Amino acid sequence: MNHVKVDETPARSTEPAEPAPRADPPPAARGGRLAAGTLVNVAMVVLIGYLVLVPLVILLYSSLKASTTQLPFQVSGFSFTNFVNVFESSHFASVAGNTALYVVGSLLVALVLSMCLAYLMERTDIPGRRFLAPMALAPMAVPVTVMAIAWALVANPVNGPLAVAVREVFGVDIDIYSLAGMILVMGIFGVPSMYLTIAPAFARLNPELEEAAAAVGAPLRRRLRLIVFPLVMPAVSAAAMLLVVVALEGFAIPAILGLPKQIFVFSSQIQYYVQPPTGLPNYGQASSYGVLLLAVSLVMLLVYRRRTRDAHRFRVVSGKGYRQTRTELGRWRIPVFVVVCVYLAVGIALPILTLVWTSFSPFVRPVSLSGLGSLTLSNYSTVFTAPGMGQILLNTAEVVLLTATVATAISAWLAMSASRRRFPGSTFLFEATFLVFGIPSVVLGFAILFLYIFFPVPPIYGTVWIIIVALVARYLPRGSRMVQTAMLQLDDGLVEAAQVTGARPFTVTRTVLLPLLSPALRKCWLWIFAQALGELPIALVLTSPDNRTLVVELWSIFTSSGDYPTASALAVLLLVVSTVAVWSVNRRGAMEES
Amino acid sequence: MTENMTENVAGPAKAAPGRSIVVDGLRKSYERNAGDAAAYAIDGVSFDVPEGQFVTLLGPSGCGKTTTLRCVAGLERAQGGRIEMAGQIVFDASQGRHVRPEDRPIAMVPQSYGIWPHMTVLDNAAFPMRHGRNRRRGEEVRRRAMEMLEQVGLQSMADRWATQLSGGQQQRLAFARALLGDPEVLLLDEPLSNLDAKLRAKLRQELRSFQEKFEIAALYVTHDQSEALALSDTVIVMNQGRIEQIDGPERLYDHPRSSFVADFIGSANLLPVEHTSPGPDGSVLAKTGVGAVLCGRSPAAPDDRSGNGGFVCVRPENVRVRAADEGTPQAGDDEILGRVETSEFLGDRLELVVRAGDVAITAFARADLGSRPGDDVSLAFDPASTSYLAS
């Protein structure tokens, strides 16, 4: 009764996603299903290769084409002229200098803030931790474009409430439209991700180590320097590398806060070459800047990977049996609490409050009680009744929903193939997506732009689809790693137990693997959804009259028309949707932990 | 390809009747290019599992027992050898033939049980009937699943989530689910290792009684020798990817074939041997550091009875201990003089470590012997329970 079927192909390649069969199909049908499975695999390999490798090749290709005003494909022969031009210009030195200052500065700001916060929240008895810790993470829910605009509103030298207050109290002029302003905003923006990496390291710190030092009479300062910092260094340096990459490629902050005073960093310079306010784009220069930026990012990411490779092994270790003893702040307890509250109020709450205030105001004005009477909804009605707004909302919905769905689906397939080694090279394919991680989004945007100008098949140039293609490529590395992490935490026995019952691979995937992965998939979807909503540079570089999205509309209202109240209303809309998505990610996470 | 097709048409080789699994010359390396110098995780493993028998793969961690089980399940693919299952060839390296796990007539209880947390207890148990190789329809699925759950004492939990079960209940559910797949062979990968000692002993008995009741062949992997001895019809002792010995539990204990087996199963005194000569009645006279020892249990082949090296093996309970002042202390051929190094009172017996010359010998003595460290004692080995091991 137990008919044993014999299969000639190697085991590694015989787990294609195939439809569940009726019992014992004839050999021919079986071969057909195998072929179908292989076809799906091949199609996915081609698709991912296309999304990952083609932009890189196009970027390198166009950087070697000496063009100033022509498209790269119209130039014959290869040369290093672009790179020579870049290095010879005095402008390059200033851009490189700005970039270095910007990246290092924001790293320092983020590092100091997140280390202090993580230590205070995890290791001391500061009051109100339950309320302060989520507050410190709140900027995560704010799209970076919205964050930059909020800061421009709150601290601009003309009428920003913060700038005005500082001038009145301290007699100092502050200007957010400066390198220092960019550094401050990027630093604060970088705190949540850094905090999330560092805080577990602080939480894991064996309190006994610190207690032992306290027992021999070492004062708090020495305990911090000699015991705590060396133990959290691995997490800190990993978080730092990642922040450097994010700051390097970040576009919205340098563009919104730097461009008005012509302060360029790499990413904003590239966009400026591709879409200059006047004159023709200089693709050659843009490409060579892109290659340089990519090289720096990749080096940082490789260092990051080396650092985190071993760290993963210790992540599983649970802090079971730890007695959470916290350092007592003593008489500093209240002053420290006040300082943290002031930071949270000024650094996070005030910009958002100003943004919301402006969105309900008839014109830009400081937050005041007297203004309460003249609050208006007219900005929102302007937003919704503006010509073309329906199309923009539709475009945005299409872009974020399709990007999140498609990227999650491909990520799931990729991570499952790689960790179950469905076919030869599946692991390599997974690793290859890491390259996209290193491509700054401005660069990815115009690489895709070139691709469809040069090779318009399918003809998606100017449609929302070109943005979706670029965004899917962009979120594939992070998405597939999210799913893979979840897969690694799954016990192999869960899948194997289903396999040996005789269930088909497709059935196993459908009934066991996907349900077990569904929390991770949902999280991945929401994460990509929130990211895609606020992703400015790709949408901006690929924009055309028919595929404008909310974030591009926000950018153009803010930078060109200067109608700040309307821009604020748009920004608040983005903020609300993004916050709901991020909140539900975290709520799910919290529910699973409990 | 064509070759395989012909083989397929010609039908599988005749398997010996009455054997559920036949493993022949299985070898596997985890290194990519398995050359001559490659380290093999399993190297030339051959054994069979008779119908309805309980066979255990026993060995220390890293000995290749789990790899062997996974190759039998088809979850891993060996580089060499052949596996037959229920009369069909399911793996043959020389023919490039590999039947996928879902097409082998098996069921498995993984080490972590593999209970699906997103399903109820009943859904877990019914999975093989709903999606497995012997699919059923309608009411029968639920009825059979409920019957089986009743057998393992989980009928009252049927509609609960599987995560609400305790460790022992999960283990029973995994067992029920495995049996509902109507397998020819049940594969168990250390299914008791995640439980506490008391529960382990209880479930061990349950497991064996289920296996006997359903008359199903079982291949069981464990590193726990007492589990192996208590459960099995046959124990296969493995070490470093090779099989050391295949025997029934009693024979394995009384007649270990190598010093590894003697040491791994129970405790044993292993005295290094300088040289040996044949003794009377097929016995061996072995010259050791504490004098000549007559070994009644010796290799069957006469050639192995004389030579150099090897060990004398004697179990602690087979060492006779006598206080040296009970009679005239005499260092004869059959008595060894020594001094007690440590002495532990264990209630039912006294466990002594006695130093004689440069070897330490462990012995279980009567609890009332009253020897203290520093006392002189004399030890005697009974030739009938003393083995000579060539390696």
Side-chain angles (χ1 to χ4, degrees):
Chain A
M1 60 170 238
N2 283 296
H3 173 61
V4 177
K5 286 182 291 293
V6 175
D7 181 32
E8 290 84 14
T9 38
R12 289 278 188 238
S13 58
T14 52
E15 297 175 312
E18 49 188 2
R22 301 280 145 215
D24 291 349
R30 193 183 166 86
R33 276 189 293 105
L34 268 182
T38 314
L39 212 65
V40 170
N41 282 349
V42 169
M44 291 300 269
V45 170
V46 170
L47 178 65
I48 291 167
Y50 180 74
L51 288 173
V52 171
L53 294 177
V54 171
L56 280 173
V57 173
I58 298 266
L59 176 66
L60 282 174
Y61 172 86
S62 52
S63 75
L64 296 174
K65 290 287 189 181
S67 80
T68 46
T69 54
Q70 293 157 294
L71 282 171
F73 318 104
Q74 296 161 337
V75 182
S76 59
F78 293 97
S79 75
F80 286 101
T81 318
N82 290 325
F83 289 98
V84 174
N85 287 344
V86 165
F87 286 119
E88 277 179 350
S89 76
S90 58
H91 189 57
F92 173 73
S94 100
V95 173
N98 283 342
T99 309
L101 274 177
Y102 171 63
V103 168
V104 174
S106 44
L107 176 62
L108 284 177
V109 172
L111 209 54
V112 169
L113 286 175
S114 49
M115 293 265 275
C116 289
L117 284 172
Y119 183 79
L120 289 173
M121 301 298 168
E122 297 293 338
R123 308 281 336 121
T124 68
D125 62 345
I126 185 169
R129 289 184 296 270
R130 277 167 178 277
F131 146 80
L132 292 179
M135 272 295 289
L137 290 177
M140 241 186 354
V142 186
V144 61
T145 315
V146 174
M147 179 86 154
I149 287 175
W151 273 95
L153 291 173
V154 81
N156 75 76
V158 183
N159 54 13
L162 186 63
V164 172
V166 168
R167 189 162 54 221
E168 278 170 6
V169 177
F170 302 103
V172 187
D173 284 322
I174 58 165
D175 184 358
I176 198 71
Y177 296 113
S178 64
L179 198 53
M182 287 156 58
I183 289 173
L184 179 74
V185 177
M186 182 61 218
I188 291 177
F189 184 73
V191 166
S193 66
M194 218 171 197
Y195 177 92
L196 284 178
T197 320
I198 295 173
F202 274 118
R204 254 200 326 260
L205 261 184
N206 192 338
E208 283 158 16
L209 299 176
E210 210 189 323
E211 280 164 17
V216 297
L220 178 63
R221 230 168 354 106
R222 284 185 185 229
R223 293 202 313 257
L224 286 179
R225 181 164 57 85
L226 296 173
I227 312 286
V228 176
F229 283 176
L231 285 170
V232 298
M233 256 349 253
V236 170
S237 63
M241 301 288 169
L242 219 54
L243 187 88
V244 167
V245 174
V246 171
L248 262 180
E249 71 149 11
F251 169 76
I253 293 171
I256 287 170
L257 302 178
L259 284 183
K261 296 252 169 88
Q262 297 283 303
I263 305 166
F264 285 107
V265 296
F266 274 136
S267 59
S268 53
Q269 183 64 62
I270 292 171
Q271 190 266 344
Y272 200 75
Y273 279 132
V274 178
Q275 296 175 316
T278 56
L280 288 168
N282 187 336
Y283 291 126
Q285 293 279 300
S287 315
S288 37
Y289 269 106
V291 170
L292 292 175
L293 188 47
L294 175 63
V296 177
S297 297
L298 279 181
V299 169
M300 297 310 288
L301 283 173
L302 288 178
V303 176
Y304 166 77
R305 264 166 69 102
R306 284 192 85 87
R307 299 227 156 208
T308 48
R309 189 170 299 160
D310 296 331
H312 281 294
R313 271 192 281 142
F314 302 104
R315 199 158 285 178
V316 209
V317 178
S318 67
K320 214 201 255 175
Y322 272 10
R323 208 161 34 87
Q324 271 283 7
T325 50
R326 294 172 175 273
T327 308
E328 282 170 22
L329 292 173
R331 62 201 165 94
W332 292 103
R333 204 159 168 254
I334 298 306
V336 167
F337 172 73
V338 170
V339 169
V340 171
C341 286
V342 167
Y343 158 72
L344 294 175
V346 173
I348 294 162
L350 190 57
I352 300 300
L353 186 64
T354 311
L355 182 75
V356 175
W357 175 263
T358 311
S359 77
F360 288 109
S361 298
F363 49 87
V364 179
R365 54 180 183 175
V367 183
S368 62
L369 278 178
S370 58
L372 276 176
S374 55
L375 289 182
T376 165
L377 281 170
S378 68
N379 297 315
Y380 289 90
S381 61
T382 311
V383 163
F384 284 110
T385 54
M389 191 37 109
Q391 188 60 44
I392 289 173
L393 286 176
L394 190 63
N395 288 343
T396 310
E398 278 182 52
V399 166
V400 293
L401 294 177
L402 284 170
T403 301
T405 309
V406 173
T408 305
I410 301 181
S411 294
W413 180 86
L414 192 60
M416 286 194 285
S417 307
S419 43
R420 308 206 58 76
R421 294 176 198 279
R422 289 243 165 113
F423 55 91
S426 54
T427 323
F428 174 78
L429 191 67
F430 180 80
E431 294 295 327
T433 60
F434 191 69
L435 286 172
V436 182
F437 214 33
I439 308 182
S441 59
V442 181
V443 176
L444 182 64
F446 87 75
I448 300 265
L449 177 74
F450 284 175
L451 175 62
Y452 286 100
I453 293 174
F454 178 60
F455 185 67
V457 177
I460 58 172
Y461 178 72
T463 68
V464 288
W465 288 98
I466 193 169
I467 299 177
I468 293 171
V469 166
L471 289 178
V472 167
R474 175 159 171 75
Y475 297 126
L476 211 48
R478 284 290 277 276
S480 54
R481 272 155 190 80
M482 274 177 162
V483 181
Q484 190 216 21
T485 311
M487 285 220 52
L488 290 179
Q489 286 163 354
L490 277 190
D491 177 42
D492 286 339
L494 291 170
V495 174
E496 284 169 0
Q499 253 179 310
V500 296
T501 62
R504 294 283 131 201
F506 179 80
T507 314
V508 175
T509 306
R510 182 175 58 84
T511 55
V512 175
L513 197 51
L514 285 180
L516 289 174
L517 285 179
S518 66
L521 295 178
R522 207 173 296 127
K523 193 173 166 181
C524 178
W525 192 93
L526 283 166
W527 184 84
I528 295 175
F529 174 89
Q531 295 290 313
L533 195 63
E535 170 68 49
L536 174 62
I538 284 179
L540 188 60
V541 170
L542 296 174
T543 194
S544 65
D546 292 332
N547 66 4
R548 283 172 85 86
T549 59
L550 268 182
V551 73
V552 173
E553 184 68 11
L554 172 63
W555 159 266
S556 74
I557 293 178
F558 190 82
T559 54
S560 48
S561 77
D563 180 0
Y564 289 175
T566 310
S568 303
L570 258 185
V572 169
L573 280 181
L574 280 175
L575 180 63
V576 168
V577 178
S578 165
T579 305
V580 169
V582 172
W583 174 77
S584 37
V585 171
N586 293 329
R587 192 182 57 108
R588 288 235 147 242
M591 266 167 52
E592 274 147 33
E593 273 160 35
S594 64
Chain B
M1 269 306 204
T2 11
E3 259 182 53
N4 296 334
M5 291 304 281
T6 3
E7 171 65 25
N8 204 357
V9 172
K14 281 257 160 57
R19 292 188 293 175
S20 284
I21 309 177
V22 180
V23 175
D24 186 25
L26 205 64
R27 170 183 249 254
K28 175 168 176 68
S29 166
Y30 284 108
E31 281 160 43
R32 205 154 270 182
N33 301 311
D36 292 336
Y40 281 93
I42 47 176
D43 190 359
V45 166
S46 308
F47 62 89
D48 46 57
V49 179
E51 265 173 24
Q53 295 259 301
F54 199 108
V55 176
T56 299
L57 290 164
L58 173 68
S61 61
C63 72
K65 55 190 191 299
T66 296
T67 307
T68 307
L69 186 86
R70 292 175 64 82
C71 285
V72 170
L75 294 166
E76 281 184 41
R77 198 179 166 148
Q79 273 111 21
R82 223 162 53 96
I83 301 171
E84 277 171 29
M85 209 172 264
Q88 310 256 355
I89 295 178
V90 295
F91 173 72
D92 191 337
S94 61
Q95 310 252 349
R97 179 190 287 231
H98 176 88
V99 176
R100 301 188 283 175
E102 60 263 33
D103 295 329
R104 298 186 182 194
I106 51 171
M108 194 166 98
V109 179
Q111 184 166 8
S112 50
Y113 316 138
I115 297 298
W116 301 303
H118 61 292
M119 297 183 192
T120 61
V121 170
L122 184 74
D123 288 339
N124 262 284
F127 187 91
M129 293 185 287
R130 286 181 182 149
H131 305 288
R133 69 180 71 76
N134 303 316
R135 259 167 274 173
R136 289 155 203 279
R137 291 192 174 278
E139 258 307 291
E140 194 196 354
V141 172
R142 197 187 156 84
R143 188 180 48 77
R144 278 205 57 193
M146 284 308 290
E147 277 170 18
M148 184 61 77
L149 287 177
E150 203 176 327
Q151 295 271 354
V152 297
L154 289 175
Q155 72 276 30
S156 59
M157 319 280 269
D159 293 319
R160 292 213 196 161
W161 291 105
T163 42
Q164 289 170 285
L165 298 186
S166 68
Q169 289 170 328
Q170 288 198 15
Q171 210 266 332
R172 288 192 196 119
L173 174 57
F175 197 71
R177 182 180 63 190
L179 290 174
L180 282 168
D182 295 327
E184 291 279 315
V185 184
L186 185 59
L187 306 174
L188 303 121
D189 184 6
E190 309 215 16
L192 302 178
S193 63
N194 287 339
L195 303 172
D196 62 67
K198 250 188 189 160
L199 199 55
R200 206 182 305 159
K202 182 166 177 283
L203 283 172
R204 185 161 87 185
Q205 290 162 4
E206 276 186 28
L207 201 63
R208 180 71 219 233
S209 63
F210 278 132
Q211 183 263 338
E212 279 172 345
K213 192 160 151 195
F214 289 93
E215 294 175 335
I216 188 172
L219 183 60
Y220 186 93
V221 161
T222 184
H223 63 267
D224 183 334
Q225 44 116 356
S226 56
E227 218 168 276
L229 296 181
L231 279 170
S232 318
D233 295 309
T234 305
V235 179
I236 301 169
V237 184
M238 289 186 70
N239 184 30
Q240 296 186 343
R242 292 166 186 277
I243 290 180
E244 291 270 340
Q245 190 170 351
I246 304 180
D247 259 321
E250 294 89 358
R251 210 176 148 70
L252 205 61
Y253 188 81
D254 290 337
H255 298 272
R257 215 175 290 153
S258 66
S259 58
F260 174 81
V261 176
D263 198 36
F264 194 75
I265 310 277
S267 52
N269 292 299
L270 292 167
L271 312 178
V273 169
E274 285 156 24
H275 61 83
T276 58
S277 52
D281 304 327
S283 65
V284 166
L285 196 62
K287 175 93 177 65
T288 70
V290 292
V293 178
L294 188 64
C295 307
R297 296 169 180 168
S298 60
D303 288 353
D304 293 339
R305 290 186 202 143
S306 57
N308 297 320
F311 297 91
V312 164
C313 165
V314 57
R315 301 278 181 198
E317 65 269 26
N318 294 331
V319 179
R320 266 182 295 132
V321 187
R322 202 161 58 85
D325 57 340
E326 271 179 25
T328 338
Q330 45 168 305
D333 274 353
D334 53 345
E335 291 234 331
I336 299 161
L337 279 182
R339 178 159 289 168
V340 176
E341 263 190 350
T342 64
S343 133
E344 282 178 4
F345 177 66
L346 297 177
D348 57 337
R349 62 170 194 259
L350 196 62
E351 191 172 324
L352 300 175
V353 175
V354 179
R355 176 150 304 265
D358 52 1
V359 292
I361 297 172
T362 308
F364 298 157
R366 287 192 328 274
D368 58 356
L369 188 70
S371 290
R372 299 252 137 254
D375 291 355
D376 285 327
V377 289
S378 82
L379 309 174
F381 300 156
D382 177 9
S385 55
T386 305
S387 317
Y388 168 66
L389 307 171
S391 61

